[in-house]
Amino acid sequence: MIARVSLEIALRKEFDYSIPAELAGQIDVGSRVQVPFGARKILGVVTAVAEESAHTNLKPIIKVIGAQTLVTEKVLKLARWIGEYYCCAPETALKSVLPEAVRKEDASWRERLFVRALPVNGEFPKLPKRQHDVWNIIEERREILLSELVELAETTAATVRKLEDCGLIEITSEISERDPYAREHILPSQPLVLNDAQAKALDSVKQAMTGTASKTFLLHGVTGSGKTEIYLQAIAHALEQGRGAIVLVPEISLTPQTVERFKARFSSGKLQTLVAVLHSHLSAGERHDEWHKIRQGRARIVIGARSAIFAPVEPLGLVIVDEEHEHTYKQEEAPRYHARDVAIMRGQMENAVVVLGSATPSLESFYNCKRGKFTLLELPERVDDQKMPHVRVVDMRQAAHKEKGPPIFSPQLKEAITQRLERKEQTILFLNRRGYSSSLQCPKCGFVANCPNCSITLTYHRVDQRLSCHICGHVEKVPQVCPNEKCKNPAIRFAGTGTQKIEEVLAKLFPHARTRRMDADTMKRKDDYRNVLGDFRAGKIDILVGTQMIAKGLHFPNVTLVGVMYADLALHQPDFRAGERTFQLLTQVAGRAGRGDVEGEVFVQAFTPFHPAIQFARRHDFNGFYEQEMEFRQQLKYPPFSRVALLTLKGRNEEKVKFSAEHLKRELEKNLKNSSTGGASVPASLFENLNDGSSGASPHQQKNSFKDLIIAGPAPAPLLKAETFYRYQIMLRTCAMSKLSQTLAKIVATLTWPDDVMLTVDIDPVSLS
């Protein structure tokens, strides 16, 4: 027998190997194997098994990694689609479907030594006092970890072994699973009674799950409308059908609070099952064990960040993508897939129902509902008749005029925080910029401390007295005087505000308030996030200051005030999605307020208070924002009225990069304007439900040349220099993206670049920076 193997090196080719007799029966499609490749030994995945090969003198497979096939045939098919659609090597796509902790050759379960008491037959032997003390602990526990026993009895393993020699105990090596939530005591929960809108939405999902075809729903519910309860009851229905479920949440929202709700619901009763969790904060060992629980069929529910979409759940009945608008679902390195779109594709391939949930859906998803591609389910009101928070927009230009300079806190927000502290209610303050000050500049000569590797200012971090670049991580000491040799002004100043500065100012304004900060600088260890949120829930914190990580999915009934410090911080970036992002962020942050019995209040401080994104967010008016924003998108042929491919060339010599970009544009114009290549090898119908307008072109139209193609650039990237690399971009817009990505792959394969210039292709980018 012959095995076709995809190696872990991006050669865009598969290789045939013979299956030696001793491995016959152990190798199947999806098996991980080690094979000879030249003088090296390389790992790969078997993608097909055949009886013969067109090649002769085939080398044999060296060994099989793991007892079970690691990549299921369905996930293998999905990986092939990702490689083709996202314009990357199939090997790269295949590598991404398995976590690093599972791919490693030496990855295995953890084995630990356990001590067990044996029945005493006959007379009990006489023991020295030290051994007798150890025996007393073993007799009481009956079974205990050797390492725990040694610590508890303050003894050595040699002493314990002497008890084994006496026949009193046995010491055995057993698999000990690494469960990240083993120490959590989670109380079981019961299904809640749904309101009419929730019940109607759940019924629609259940009906679709009884059918045989895949269907995609967009669950558009305001913050606090009970979307999670619908997810839980839909998952219960999938389990009743004997099928599993995958729940995707943005990494930032993957809080212990979210995981606990799912584990609590399925920890007991007739639908009891293990809930596996997959995300980047787990240790390698924990990730290995969680993944294998899924592969063995013991865990039927998977919760995780974007890569959890590849979890080997079989059979799959339901995929939920919570906060589907989140840009963190997009992978930044190859393969640059969007987990939401991959979820829809996987649903199509496995006839599973897909539910996209959000209070602020992406315009692409909502547009697909309008066109009948997705089914819209709406939850217009909060559960238990709770009111939406009252949003007040504060014009910071007037506050700056009164106080001779822009203040951090407007008088209105200061008064609101004082009232909350008096009433023993909690406050969340949001600013999407960490650090103390955004820049260091000299008022005399105009010097600004910039990063030497990136075209961006260094951020001042006061606690450890350093200037830091948030792009490449470059760190410098804070200068005592202006570094400009001709100036040397000692009055060098910090400009702008970060979360550190807000925390410091709060301590002066409200000295008795218990304040904590949550950002990438304070959340360093695995349990930091859990501990701070636990303290906040328990009422040990009055004011929580943070960046994006406090904006999503948190439910704290005692939070009655939310302050957004600089609402227009991201509004003026050179990105057509800047308005959409600001609207989404403001709506999501505002949604943290008023989730208990007391009505919430939100203060939005802005220097451009009348911008449509801010005004529509103030009124919680998604439909109004959608109509206004779509008009602008249609005029300029931006998504969802087209699809975007962003080609970025980068290198350390700006002139070389610019020249290469101009050469690439000429090649694109020459090849794409006259292209007549066929459609995708994956049936065109599979692309039609992608929630980004891809279905604008029919399969027939896709076989013609790119008549609607718009090529913009080359132009310097909005952030020209990052991590020592200069970057130039070319943006392509078309409705026939599935065909364009294939054509691009062929063009790119024929081009060669200078040694120090690299090209990346990003299909459907979420950011243009």
Side-chain angles (χ1 to χ4, degrees), residues 4-8 14 28-33 43-48 70-71 76 94-95 98 103:
R4 190 150 294 146
V5 180
S6 174
L7 306 178
E8 283 194 355
E14 293 178 347
D28 205 345
V29 173
S31 294
R32 292 267 295 159
V33 292
L43 297 178
V45 173
V46 175
T47 57
L70 297 186
V71 185
L76 185 60
L94 194 52
K95 205 173 173 182
L98 284 177
R103 275 205 323 268

Side-chain angles (χ1 to χ4, degrees), residues 387-407:
K387 290 182 180 176
M388 294 297 289
H390 187 72
V391 181
R392 305 178 193 279
V393 178
V394 180
D395 188 342
M396 293 301 282
R397 295 172 301 182
Q398 292 180 4
H401 182 68
K402 286 175 189 172
E403 299 201 17
K404 297 178 182 174

Side-chain angles (χ1 to χ4, degrees), residues 137-186:
I137 295 170
I138 300 169
E139 190 179 31
E140 185 186 331
R141 292 285 195 92
R142 306 308 296 172
E143 184 179 338
I144 187 171
L145 267 172
L146 177 61
S147 56
E148 190 183 341
L149 176 63
V150 166
E151 191 177 337
L152 202 62
E154 296 179 350
T155 186
T156 63
T159 304
V160 180
R161 293 273 182 201
K162 284 173 184 169
L163 292 176
E164 187 180 30
D165 296 339
C166 296
L168 294 173
I169 64 167
E170 67 171 356
I171 300 175
T172 55
S173 178
E174 292 177 18
I175 286 173
S176 170
E177 289 188 1
R178 292 156 285 202
D179 181 354
Y181 296 89
R183 293 181 183 177
E184 296 289 320
H185 182 64
I186 297 171

Side-chain angles (χ1 to χ4, degrees), residues 194-215:
L194 304 180
N195 61 30
D196 290 344
Q198 285 176 302
K200 187 179 172 186
L202 180 63
D203 285 344
S204 299
V205 175
K206 279 183 172 180
Q207 281 178 14
M209 288 167 73
T210 56
T212 54
S214 174
K215 194 168 184 181

Side-chain angles (χ1 to χ4, degrees), residues 382 387-391 420 559-561 593-595 598-602:
R382 284 185 158 185
K387 290 182 180 176
M388 294 297 289
H390 187 72
V391 181
R420 291 332 184 267
V559 173
T560 59
L561 175 66
R595 295 171 82 104
V598 182
E599 189 178 349
E601 196 173 20
V602 180

Side-chain angles (χ1 to χ4, degrees), residues 724-736:
T724 73
F725 290 99
Y726 291 95
R727 306 172 323 140
Y728 276 71
Q729 295 176 337
I730 296 173
M731 185 199 281
L732 309 178
R733 277 171 279 166
T734 180
C735 287

